[in-house]
Amino acid sequence: MKIRRDFYLQKLIDFRDDDRVKVITGIRRCGKSYLLFRIYHHYLNTIGIDDEQIIELALDEDQNAKYRNPLELGKYIRDQIVQKDKMYYVFIDEIQKVAKIKNPYLPDSDEEITFVDVVLGLMKIPNVDLYVTGSNSKMLSSDILTEFRGRGDEIHVNPLSFAEFYSAYEGDNRNAWRDYFTYGGMPLCMLQKGHEDKSAYLKGLFKKIYLSDIIEHNDIRQDLTVLEDILDIISSSVGSLTNPTRIANTFKTVKHLDITDDTVSVYLGYFIDAFLLGVAKRYDVKGREYIGSPLKYYYSDVGLRNARLNFRQQEETHIMENILYNELIVREFDVDVGVVEYNYKDENGKSKRKQLEVDFVANKGSRRYYIQSALSVSDPEKSEQEIRPFRQIHDSFKKIVVVKDNIVPWHDENGILYIGIEEFLLNESMMDY
């Protein structure tokens, strides 16, 4: 099975030899290594770059544990650069594994040496084009993209989009949506045969990779059941408004535990930093300002969310909304939850005020789209419910209702586009149909 990641490959091509470090981020096992070591490596070969000019090092492999020492890492790479008249392409995978060490040359000082020092040093070698990957956003954004002060390019890799999944799907394409909806887009999950193997793989990622990394990186020593319980609560409430206070109250009423909302907020931050979760803020469309709490949390991969809940809670509405959120992120939109204030009079003629919700307000530069996710709009009452927020928005930006049904795209008398989920996901240009 060959998986194409053309979008990310083109970004690497565009950034090649630009004298900046290329920082490839994304949740572990989403395909960062495959992108660099297989797809991009092959591309470099096709334009005449020999294998000897491509230096690859995966720091999450035990045989490379020595190079988690930053001094050993720098020495190893410099030893491979033997010809000054050739460009060398250096791929360092999972660079966050590099430890901080005290400077051995300054025994009386508290100075530390980190991977940042290594990267800064390698960037000064004129015939080196440097690429690093990492699986923790806080570490990379605060260290690499800040320390390099405009000398780094970030390429964020997501799990497979539905279009990427669909292009590599080896079964009956009519079942592609069903499988993506259930098992998500982690690349290696596609190689597993049957429900039991796919389920075991996704659950293994949680226990052996994500939770272990989060616990180790953040040095968590408290009762780990709280961490996992928060994750379960978020898994059950994907697509629902919530906040740390509400989650803390759930602990009090259901678990009979007193957990502060500050603790909940810190743990949620860990999940976001590890790229396990994404978050959408509420945006007042008319007031043009962010409202603040509550927020919506979404999984970066719905298969991980489903596995976390043992595939018991398969609410199509919420999972479809999660997939749409991820697709908009892949398309590099800034995504918010829209809030529209609706003023009306009740049956007694008394003025009332109500807040209506737009599932997504997607912005990119001067472009904006208002998007509702709905299983179906065949029922007139349901259709009116979905478009009622749109009626309160009087700007000229595109308004879209995405439904689960496989329908011929059409516009109603208000110019609102109705489109099936698969067509929306497979053809980005349909947003402007």
Side-chain angles (χ1 to χ4, degrees):
M1 179 181 66
K2 183 178 180 180
I3 298 176
R4 299 177 64 92
R5 311 298 305 263
D6 293 344
F7 175 76
Y8 305 109
L9 172 60
Q10 188 58 54
K11 282 185 171 290
L12 291 173
I13 294 170
D14 291 343
F15 291 143
R16 185 172 71 91
D17 297 339
D18 67 355
D19 296 325
R20 296 155 67 94
V21 59
K22 272 62 73 173
V23 185
I24 299 113
T25 61
I27 189 171
R28 290 189 71 185
R29 299 296 186 267
C30 73
K32 300 186 302 295
S33 304
Y34 184 86
L35 173 66
L36 266 185
F37 293 1
R38 294 283 296 279
I39 298 177
Y40 191 51
H41 187 130
H42 174 72
Y43 166 78
L44 291 175
N45 288 156
T46 65
I47 62 170
I49 306 299
D50 295 331
D51 285 344
E52 291 76 15
Q53 295 171 251
I54 304 173
I55 303 168
E56 301 176 334
L57 196 60
L59 294 176
D60 59 343
E61 296 178 0
D62 57 354
Q63 65 265 33
N64 294 324
K66 174 181 179 180
Y67 305 114
R68 296 174 194 167
N69 179 313
L71 294 177
E72 294 289 346
L73 174 63
K75 181 179 184 302
Y76 170 79
I77 292 172
R78 285 179 174 84
D79 287 345
Q80 310 305 307
I81 303 169
V82 294
Q83 298 186 58
K84 293 184 178 180
D85 60 340
K86 289 188 176 182
M87 180 64 75
Y88 286 83
Y89 296 85
V90 178
F91 303 164
I92 307 175
D93 195 27
E94 302 294 358
I95 199 168
Q96 80 278 354
K97 291 288 185 181
V98 177
K100 292 181 180 180
I101 65 169
K102 294 193 69 172
N103 188 335
Y105 305 107
L106 299 173
D108 297 327
S109 169
D110 291 331
E111 182 179 278
E112 292 182 323
I113 298 175
T114 71
F115 72 83
V116 174
D117 298 287
V118 177
V119 173
L120 285 171
L122 293 173
M123 286 176 65
K124 294 177 181 178
I125 303 175
N127 60 326
V128 164
D129 195 24
L130 182 60
Y131 302 75
V132 301
T133 82
S135 304
N136 184 279
S137 67
K138 184 176 181 181
M139 183 179 193
L140 290 170
S141 63
S142 63
D143 287 343
I144 287 189
L145 297 174
T146 300
E147 290 288 340
F148 299 158
R149 295 178 180 86
R151 296 166 61 196
D153 297 310
E154 182 176 13
I155 301 164
H156 186 75
V157 178
N158 300 276
L160 300 178
S161 68
F162 180 66
E164 291 170 328
F165 178 92
Y166 190 87
S167 68
Y169 190 74
E170 295 181 339
D172 187 331
N173 284 341
R174 290 175 296 180
N175 296 327
W177 168 253
R178 179 202 65 189
D179 286 353
Y180 187 76
F181 176 96
T182 305
Y183 304 112
M186 298 305 287
L188 291 181
C189 189
M190 293 189 72
L191 299 177
Q192 311 303 314
K193 304 298 182 183
H195 174 76
E196 289 186 3
D197 289 346
K198 291 179 185 292
S199 173
Y201 173 75
L202 292 170
K203 291 177 181 178
L205 285 182
F206 252 114
K207 287 290 185 183
K208 299 175 184 177
I209 304 292
Y210 305 137
L211 288 179
S212 295
D213 279 359
I214 289 170
I215 291 165
E216 177 185 350
H217 179 72
N218 298 289
D219 194 24
I220 301 174
R221 300 179 183 180
Q222 304 96 300
D223 184 357
L224 299 181
T225 58
V226 173
L227 184 78
E228 298 206 38
D229 284 344
I230 292 173
L231 200 56
D232 289 338
I233 292 170
I234 291 296
S235 301
S236 295
S237 61
V238 158
S240 300
L241 290 168
T242 190
N243 59 26
T245 300
R246 291 185 184 181
I247 295 173
N249 289 337
T250 299
F251 272 93
K252 290 178 183 178
T253 57
V254 178
K255 299 285 185 177
H256 305 293
L257 290 174
D258 284 325
I259 306 296
T260 67
D261 45 350
D262 285 342
T263 297
V264 175
S265 182
V266 168
Y267 281 175
L268 288 173
Y270 293 160
F271 299 138
I272 293 169
D273 289 341
F275 302 114
L276 190 59
L277 297 180
V279 62
K281 300 177 182 179
R282 291 204 306 160
Y283 178 76
D284 182 346
V285 175
K286 291 183 177 180
R288 299 182 181 180
E289 62 182 2
Y290 286 101
I291 299 174
S293 182
L295 312 169
K296 284 191 177 184
Y297 294 90
Y298 296 97
Y299 265 83
S300 61
D301 181 78
V302 294
L304 294 173
R305 177 264 179 194
N306 294 338
R308 183 68 197 174
L309 296 174
N310 290 316
F311 298 91
R312 291 192 303 266
Q313 293 178 243
Q314 296 294 92
E315 307 96 331
E316 289 182 299
T317 304
H318 295 319
I319 297 176
M320 190 173 118
E321 184 178 323
N322 198 144
I323 290 172
L324 275 174
Y325 171 84
N326 289 342
E327 180 65 25
L328 293 170
I329 294 297
V330 167
R331 295 179 185 181
E332 300 186 316
F333 284 93
D334 296 320
V335 184
D336 301 312
V337 178
V339 177
V340 182
E341 200 165 80
Y342 172 45
N343 298 310
Y344 66 101
K345 294 185 183 293
D346 64 15
E347 62 275 10
N348 298 317
K350 188 174 182 180
S351 295
K352 295 285 186 179
R353 181 180 298 173
K354 184 178 181 181
Q355 285 189 336
L356 304 176
E357 183 178 293
V358 179
D359 288 332
F360 301 119
V361 180
N363 293 285
K364 184 195 292 187
S366 62
R367 298 165 62 195
R368 171 177 289 186
Y369 300 86
Y370 301 107
I371 301 173
Q372 294 285 54
S373 173
L375 288 182
S376 175
V377 289
S378 57
D379 176 15
E381 184 176 340
K382 174 63 176 173
S383 178
E384 175 59 28
Q385 178 184 334
E386 294 295 340
I387 67 172
R388 186 175 295 130
F390 289 166
R391 295 186 190 279
Q392 310 307 314
I393 302 173
H394 304 298
D395 59 40
S396 59
F397 292 113
K398 192 83 174 184
K399 300 171 180 67
I400 305 172
V401 178
V402 182
V403 300
K404 180 191 173 185
D405 302 328
N406 182 19
I407 63 172
V408 175
W410 61 282
H411 294 87
D412 67 11
E413 64 276 10
N414 299 301
I416 298 170
L417 170 64
Y418 295 78
I419 185 172
I421 180 68
E422 291 191 47
E423 189 154 12
F424 181 90
L425 297 174
L426 291 173
N427 187 351
E428 184 174 351
S429 66
M430 292 303 297
M431 293 181 73
D432 294 309
Y433 176 77

